[in-house]
Amino acid sequence: MRKLLSLRHWKNTFAFIYKLLMSKEVAVRDKLLFLIPVIVYWVVPDVLPLIPIDDIAFTMIIAEWFAARMGRKYNIS
């Protein structure tokens, strides 16, 4: 829990995601696996009223999952 409250952790996570999104090694399909859900949730949050998660919280949850999954899949750290 302490790690998730750390600003350094989130700075590193989002820097790593930027690195993954700009990498030519990562397939476009995998990049879209992160971008599409985040963009859709930011654009149409009122369409999903039954999901009471804030936009930034949703983005952070997806970011943590994406960074871990792509780091393992492509062996990038």
Side-chain angles (χ1 to χ4, degrees), residues 34-48:
F34 171 71
L35 292 173
I36 289 177
V38 169
I39 291 170
V40 166
Y41 199 85
W42 276 75
V43 172
V44 287
D46 297 328
V47 175
L48 306 169

